[in-house]
Amino acid sequence: MSQERAAPASAVPLEELSSWPEELCRRELPSVLPRLLSMYQHSDNWIEHIQILKIIVEMFLPHMNHLTLEETFFSQALPKTVKLFDDMMYELTSQARGLSSHNLEIQTTLRNILQTMVQLLAALTGCVQHVCVTQESIILENIHSLPSSVLHVIKSTFVHCKDSESVYSGHLHLVSDLLQALFKEAYSLQKQLMELLDMVCMDPLVDENDDILNMVIVIHSLLDICSVISGMDHAFHANTWKFIIKQSLKHQSVIRSQLKHRDIITSLCEDILFSFHSCLQLAEQMTQSDAQDNADYRLFQKTLKLCRFFVNSLLHYTKEFLPLLSDSCSTLHQLYLQIHSKFPPSLYAARISKAQQEEIAGTFLVTLDPLISQLLTFQPFMQVVLDGKLELPCELQFPQCLLLIVIMDKLPSQPEDVQALWCTESRLSEATTRVSLFKAVFCSFEQCAGELSLPIHLQGVKSKGQVEVAVTLYQHICVHLCTFIASFHPSLFPELDVALLNAVLSANMITSLLAMDAWCFLSRYGTAELCAHHVTVVAHLIKSCPGECYQLTNLSILLRRLFFFMAPPQQVEFIQKFSPKAAENLPLWQYISLQALPAELRKQAAHEVTRAGIARCQEWLSSSRTLGELESLNTLLSALLAVCNCASEALDIVQKTTIMEIGSQLWALLNTKLVTGQPYVQQTFSLLLPLLGFFVQTLDPHLISQVVTLQTSLLKLEPPDHVCLAVLDFVSSLGKFFIPQAFQDKILPSLSSIFASLLADRNWIVEQHTLEAFTQFAEGTNHEEIVPQCLRSEDTKNKVVSFLEKTGFVDETAAARVERVKQEKGIFREHLAKVAVEEAKWSSLQPYAKRPRQESPLEEEYRSALQAASGALEAVESLLQVSPAPDWLLLKMEMLQERIDELKRHVL
């Protein structure tokens, strides 16, 4: 009977095979399967292909040995199946451009192809289901053609569905039902395949075999599919990622070294950013819309949960594979920065409501915190964050600052060696440097000029019994920096000292101020001896400064502030160590506020500084009075002014009278040419005015007349801004001075001219100070008739009225102000970049005279030296006009002439 049936079996038509009973299929499998596979390989008809494949899968696959499926069926049929699918996809895409409601032929063709593809996917689903049902534990090598073929078909299907709008050129509705069916079939096939792959077992003791390679290929193929479906179906996308992470962790012992971790991290970070941006767009739409749409809000919440899921997936992955993620640290760093750059309070953030900000922060942003905790001990991440050559665009500078503060907050709980790695500068190679965390914080802070000037506000630190309030970026960083200083390991104090000093010496004012605040906290938090040590160090630094510079200004401010924190015993020691009686110490006392001293000590110091200052001023007045000695004279005047401002009550009548006399004698030496031509004379002028202004009530009216006359003449020559400010300081003090009748005709016109000139000044700093000084003068003066005379133009009147009424400000919306600050930030960045390039250019010059690039700075030095010499001669000329020449002057001039003749010979 079997022989009678076997003979016709090889020639049975396909239609009859599809009706065979199960037992007959099982029995005839050995003879029928080769014939069907041969037909499948040689057939040119797509319909016949699908028919044969369905017969094999539905009628004969259940009877095949599951251990030999790969050899007997999958390896022989699936490559042809993939080619068949690709051919159909090519034909589908090629003809889709001609689709229209009028071309029924193409419409029918396309629909037939789509139906055939749906059937092919169903057949593949049958293959996957069969393997799942018949095997409890699957060895991938036994079915390795199946996953790869299925994944190829799935990806191709999803790509086609994703691009369908453009592929079908506006006629998508004619085939949308079949495309939807195709997508659902591919969706079902992938779910079934993931169920199959979840049953795969791998031997953890085997390091290398085909199973490992196959599993790695499967994971990365699913990764490719994730990038395709990311915007198509949120749930499906999330489930695919969940499976990728699950399988990676499940088989990590054997595949960890084979996985392309960078690709997985990059793809996951891209999906996090994409979902986050979608979430922000929805939040922004809801903020702009007046009516609350429940559907939009539900979608917002769904997208927000997806963001959280992706970050949790990233957390699981980084936790298990961290040692292998060195080349992914830059991607993770950028992820953190990009997220915070788009979220308030960033200048570049989307405009969303406060409620949605809190929802996003509480659901999504909190998940980034444990990610940073995981990366904290990973040295490649440290290198990326603290890279000495890190250059970030404007929108990422503020997030970088926030990240550094987050890291700083976490470090105290870490071991000493981890803290040391973050806080110690390291040169890894000639091209690679890792700066310390302290330096990075100050550098990053310096880049946030826009955020500081706006200013933006951040969530404040909660404390017992107090309501949490928003704080500025400056406050936020200062508080967290001081908290870190109070809690980090003591061995790192040398690194902190270096960073604080470098920041104090910074040319950026706000950076220097932050460092001073932190230094003051350190001095208050530490012992009295530590504070005294800091004051001593700063005092020595000030004494070592070669001349006027911004670094000296910054150090002097720091010294003045630190001096207030010294304990009285240490203050006594300081006065003994840096006694004002010693000439080399007197310059230091111009920077110290005597108000920081107890009453008795203040009186003692004031007397010592005053006696020393008066004595040396009198020496200068009785000496040759050269311009070269003006620098030391200015130092003496500055020290005397400091005493008058801070401890005038400690001075006796004789000392006050002597200071006034010195001021009067010095003023008699000044004239317009001297002040305009010599910087040191300008400084003398700027110090004398507040010193005389301090004693204005007891000054001789004749001297006051001389002062305002010189000021009037000087302003006509447009002197430097600091000279104008000194003039304002003096004339504002005249508001409470009653000018005697005999001097009113001379002084009052000069005063009105001074105020009128400065109120019209174009420099906004001078203008603001003038408005303040004029207001103070007008409120206190008894000579009210002068006030209208100062307001000589309608523009000046309007300016003063606006100042008094606090009106006239530019009407700027919050959004417009943010945009302006962003533009300014970009301009400042470009300017600083140019300055850095120029500084690098000059610093790279070698000290060889033959190099042409050195000619420019030397030429400038020649010009400067000659200007100084010319100014000195003019000063001598001016002095000859006010007093007879001393006996030694002619001899000195002859010696100078000889030197000039000698220099001429060198030039020739």
Side-chain angles (χ1 to χ4, degrees):
M1 183 67 181
S2 63
Q3 291 176 349
E4 293 176 0
R5 297 292 300 273
S10 59
V12 173
L14 292 176
E15 292 77 7
E16 186 177 332
L17 280 175
S18 61
S19 62
W20 275 16
E22 185 178 341
E23 179 58 31
L24 183 57
C25 292
R26 184 187 62 76
R27 189 170 65 247
E28 298 299 333
L29 175 67
S31 59
V32 175
L33 183 61
R35 175 202 165 206
L36 291 174
L37 291 172
S38 177
M39 291 174 63
Y40 188 69
Q41 293 290 342
H42 297 97
S43 175
D44 295 326
N45 186 297
W46 290 348
I47 303 298
E48 187 178 48
H49 265 114
I50 297 303
Q51 188 179 5
I52 295 170
L53 184 61
K54 287 178 67 177
I55 289 173
I56 295 175
V57 172
E58 294 174 3
M59 307 299 295
F60 295 98
L61 181 60
H63 306 293
M64 297 181 195
N65 184 341
H66 70 270
L67 296 176
T68 58
L69 278 177
E70 178 65 26
E71 303 90 68
T72 58
F73 176 43
F74 292 155
S75 63
Q76 297 186 54
L78 293 181
K80 182 69 176 180
T81 304
V82 170
K83 184 179 183 306
L84 172 65
F85 187 84
D86 288 345
D87 290 344
M88 286 192 286
M89 188 62 75
Y90 176 78
E91 187 70 18
L92 190 65
T93 307
S94 300
Q95 295 202 33
R97 290 188 176 86
L99 178 63
S100 71
S101 56
H102 305 295
N103 194 333
L104 295 177
E105 183 180 349
I106 290 183
Q107 187 178 150
T108 302
T109 300
L110 293 178
R111 291 185 67 83
N112 287 339
I113 294 174
L114 286 168
Q115 288 173 341
T116 306
M117 294 171 81
V118 171
Q119 293 175 15
L120 186 149
L121 289 173
L124 289 176
T125 302
C127 293
V128 176
Q129 286 176 336
H130 170 75
V131 175
C132 290
V133 170
T134 57
Q135 301 184 44
E136 293 182 0
S137 179
I138 297 173
I139 298 176
L140 206 52
E141 190 175 359
N142 293 342
I143 57 162
H144 68 84
S145 296
L146 181 61
S148 59
S149 301
V150 168
L151 288 168
H152 175 87
V153 170
I154 290 171
K155 181 184 175 183
S156 183
T157 301
F158 289 148
V159 169
H160 183 77
C161 292
K162 188 173 186 177
D163 299 339
S164 56
E165 285 283 353
S166 58
V167 170
Y168 293 98
S169 306
H171 300 285
L172 180 61
H173 62 282
L174 298 174
V175 292
S176 59
D177 56 329
L178 288 173
L179 278 174
Q180 189 174 11
L182 185 67
F183 180 87
K184 287 182 177 179
E185 197 63 50
Y187 178 93
S188 176
L189 175 58
Q190 182 175 318
K191 285 185 67 176
Q192 195 67 54
L193 178 66
M194 290 192 297
E195 184 181 330
L196 180 153
L197 293 171
D198 206 28
M199 300 168 64
V200 169
C201 290
M202 303 181 73
D203 188 352
L205 300 178
V206 178
D207 290 337
E208 294 186 11
N209 59 30
D210 291 339
D211 265 11
I212 295 174
L213 180 60
N214 290 332
M215 180 55 74
V216 170
I217 292 172
V218 164
I219 288 174
H220 285 286
S221 297
L222 285 168
L223 191 63
D224 292 339
I225 289 172
C226 267
S227 65
V228 176
I229 62 174
S230 61
M232 299 174 69
D233 187 307
H234 289 336
F236 187 39
H237 185 208
N239 285 333
T240 304
W241 262 117
K242 186 184 294 184
F243 182 80
I244 291 172
I245 302 299
K246 180 181 178 181
Q247 295 305 309
S248 300
L249 300 184
K250 177 181 176 182
H251 305 297
Q252 63 166 307
S253 60
V254 291
I255 66 172
R256 61 187 291 122
S257 59
Q258 303 293 328
L259 282 173
K260 297 177 182 177
H261 300 287
R262 184 175 182 176
D263 291 350
I264 294 174
I265 293 293
T266 300
S267 185
L268 191 50
C269 288
E270 287 174 352
D271 282 345
I272 290 171
L273 286 174
F274 180 82
S275 300
F276 180 59
H277 290 160
S278 299
C279 189
L280 290 177
Q281 286 175 356
L282 288 167
E284 197 167 16
Q285 289 171 15
M286 289 188 289
T287 301
Q288 293 170 355
S289 174
D290 294 333
Q292 183 73 35
D293 190 328
N294 289 330
D296 283 348
Y297 183 65
R298 285 195 296 272
L299 182 58
F300 165 77
Q301 287 187 312
K302 185 178 179 180
T303 310
L304 187 56
K305 288 179 181 177
L306 187 65
C307 293
R308 183 183 178 92
F309 163 77
F310 282 139
V311 176
N312 283 331
S313 299
L314 182 64
L315 281 170
H316 288 306
Y317 196 89
T318 53
K319 181 181 179 182
E320 298 299 329
F321 295 105
L322 185 60
L324 303 172
L325 301 183
S326 57
D327 58 352
S328 295
C329 287
S330 180
T331 304
L332 295 169
H333 179 219
Q334 286 293 314
L335 172 70
Y336 188 96
L337 301 188
Q338 290 286 349
I339 288 172
H340 281 280
S341 73
K342 300 300 180 184
F343 191 76
S346 168
L347 297 178
Y348 305 86
R351 294 187 181 91
I352 59 179
S353 69
K354 187 70 175 176
Q356 284 153 357
Q357 287 182 39
E358 292 175 354
E359 195 166 355
I360 292 173
T363 304
F364 169 58
L365 294 186
V366 292
T367 58
L368 295 176
D369 191 66
L371 176 64
I372 302 303
S373 298
Q374 285 183 5
L375 296 168
L376 206 59
T377 60
F378 195 38
Q379 288 198 43
F381 181 70
M382 295 181 198
Q383 180 57 42
V384 168
V385 175
L386 301 178
D387 186 358
K389 295 185 177 180
L390 181 65
E391 291 187 7
L392 295 171
C394 290
E395 65 271 16
L396 299 187
Q397 291 162 355
F398 167 64
Q400 170 74 358
C401 195
L402 290 184
L403 173 61
L404 294 172
I405 296 302
V406 167
I407 291 169
M408 188 175 283
D409 289 345
K410 294 179 179 295
L411 277 183
S413 62
Q414 296 294 319
E416 180 186 351
D417 59 331
V418 175
Q419 292 187 37
L421 284 171
W422 278 100
C423 297
T424 307
E425 191 163 326
S426 174
R427 179 175 289 278
L428 305 180
S429 67
E430 285 296 323
T432 308
T433 302
R434 187 180 70 221
V435 301
S436 73
L437 179 61
F438 300 117
K439 182 177 180 179
V441 167
F442 286 116
C443 291
S444 180
F445 173 79
E446 192 170 305
Q447 300 298 317
C448 297
E451 290 80 0
L452 289 163
S453 64
L454 191 62
I456 62 168
H457 288 82
L458 296 96
Q459 188 175 8
V461 179
K462 291 183 179 179
S463 57
K464 285 186 176 181
Q466 293 184 353
V467 179
E468 182 180 350
V469 294
V471 297
T472 64
L473 177 61
Y474 185 95
Q475 292 171 316
H476 177 79
I477 294 176
C478 188
V479 168
H480 286 263
L481 178 58
C482 293
T483 302
F484 183 58
I485 290 172
S487 55
F488 74 162
H489 198 276
S491 64
L492 300 175
F493 271 106
E495 300 295 333
L496 173 65
D497 291 342
V498 171
L500 286 179
L501 180 57
N502 285 333
V504 165
L505 298 176
S506 169
N508 185 285
M509 180 188 68
I510 196 73
T511 303
S512 180
L513 181 60
L514 176 66
M516 290 182 202
D517 283 344
W519 202 322
C520 288
F521 170 81
L522 177 60
S523 295
R524 295 186 67 184
Y525 180 77
T527 61
E529 289 73 18
L530 177 64
C531 180
H533 172 69
H534 286 168
V535 171
T536 302
V537 169
V538 175
H540 281 298
L541 288 172
I542 289 175
K543 289 182 66 176
S544 66
C545 282
E548 289 294 328
C549 54
Y550 68 83
Q551 292 93 339
L552 175 59
T553 302
N554 295 350
L555 287 170
S556 65
I557 295 171
L558 177 62
L559 177 65
R560 187 177 294 113
R561 294 182 62 183
L562 290 178
F563 205 73
F564 276 91
F565 303 133
M566 289 184 76
Q570 279 72 37
Q571 289 177 335
V572 172
E573 291 178 8
F574 181 87
I575 294 175
Q576 293 170 351
K577 186 181 296 184
F578 298 98
S579 173
K581 298 175 183 177
E584 69 273 11
N585 292 332
L586 196 57
L588 194 63
W589 287 89
Q590 65 184 308
Y591 307 119
I592 295 174
S593 174
L594 300 184
Q595 290 179 344
L597 299 170
E600 285 301 317
L601 203 55
R602 180 165 64 249
K603 186 176 181 180
Q604 174 195 334
H607 278 293
E608 290 184 7
V609 173
T610 304
R611 279 197 296 268
I614 289 174
R616 286 175 177 79
C617 283
Q618 289 173 335
E619 285 177 15
W620 187 90
L621 285 167
S622 61
S623 67
S624 59
R625 305 176 186 176
T626 61
L627 286 172
E629 296 173 347
L630 269 184
E631 183 178 4
S632 60
L633 175 67
N634 290 337
T635 299
L636 301 173
L637 294 176
S638 181
L640 290 174
L641 184 60
V643 173
C644 291
N645 286 330
C646 300
S648 60
E649 76 283 354
L651 301 180
D652 56 38
I653 297 297
V654 175
Q655 289 175 323
K656 291 179 180 180
T657 303
T658 307
I659 292 174
M660 280 193 291
E661 289 175 353
I662 290 172
S664 301
Q665 293 177 56
L666 289 172
W667 188 266
L669 301 176
L670 298 180
N671 59 59
T672 306
K673 279 189 177 181
L674 276 175
V675 176
T676 55
Q678 296 295 328
Y680 280 135
V681 179
Q682 290 172 7
Q683 189 179 2
T684 306
F685 177 86
S686 299
L687 288 166
L688 278 177
L689 286 177
L691 196 61
L692 293 174
F694 186 79
F695 300 105
V696 71
Q697 296 298 331
T698 54
L699 282 183
D700 182 355
H702 183 71
L703 176 60
I704 293 177
S705 177
Q706 291 178 345
V707 172
V708 295
T709 301
L710 178 58
Q711 289 176 337
T712 306
S713 302
L714 196 60
L715 290 177
K716 293 175 182 178
L717 301 175
E718 298 183 355
D721 294 338
H722 68 276
V723 172
C724 294
L725 295 175
V727 169
L728 282 171
D729 187 71
F730 181 79
V731 294
S732 64
S733 68
L734 293 177
K736 296 179 181 179
F737 178 72
F738 179 77
I739 302 171
Q741 185 71 37
F743 293 91
Q744 288 182 11
D745 290 343
K746 194 167 185 181
I747 294 177
L748 294 181
S750 295
L751 280 177
S752 65
S753 176
I754 291 170
F755 277 120
S757 175
L758 293 175
L759 284 169
D761 198 290
R762 294 181 179 275
N763 184 301
W764 68 269
I765 297 178
V766 174
E767 179 187 71
Q768 180 66 25
H769 279 272
T770 305
L771 289 167
E772 293 173 2
F774 178 71
T775 302
Q776 180 182 338
F777 175 85
E779 288 174 350
T781 186
N782 292 314
H783 307 283
E784 297 177 356
E785 68 277 9
I786 194 180
V787 174
Q789 297 173 18
C790 300
L791 309 176
R792 297 182 179 178
S793 69
E794 200 63 33
D795 181 59
T796 301
K797 289 179 184 178
N798 294 335
K799 191 187 297 184
V800 172
V801 170
S802 296
F803 175 77
L804 294 173
E805 295 179 351
K806 308 301 181 187
T807 59
F809 300 109
V810 177
D811 188 13
E812 189 178 40
T813 64
R817 188 179 183 196
V818 169
E819 287 304 313
R820 174 176 57 78
V821 168
K822 285 160 63 174
Q823 291 176 8
E824 290 173 354
K825 188 173 181 178
I827 293 170
F828 291 150
R829 178 180 172 86
E830 290 176 8
H831 173 71
L832 291 172
K834 290 178 182 177
V835 171
V837 169
E838 287 300 314
E839 287 179 350
K841 186 190 297 182
W842 289 117
S843 66
S844 66
L845 294 178
Q846 298 298 320
Y848 296 124
K850 65 182 181 181
R851 293 190 59 161
R853 292 172 73 184
Q854 280 196 336
E855 291 176 5
S856 176
L858 284 177
E859 184 177 335
E860 190 61 37
E861 288 180 20
Y862 276 121
R863 185 177 290 110
S864 177
L866 284 174
Q867 285 177 348
S870 176
L873 291 174
E874 289 179 5
V876 172
E877 182 183 0
S878 300
L879 289 170
L880 288 171
Q881 294 172 2
V882 297
S883 65
D887 297 337
W888 50 263
L889 181 61
L890 184 60
L891 178 63
K892 288 282 186 182
M893 291 178 68
E894 289 174 352
M895 293 173 63
L896 284 174
Q897 184 63 51
E898 290 177 3
R899 294 191 66 180
I900 291 172
D901 293 339
E902 186 178 348
L903 288 172
K904 282 182 180 179
R905 287 193 292 273
H906 283 294
V907 173
L908 296 173

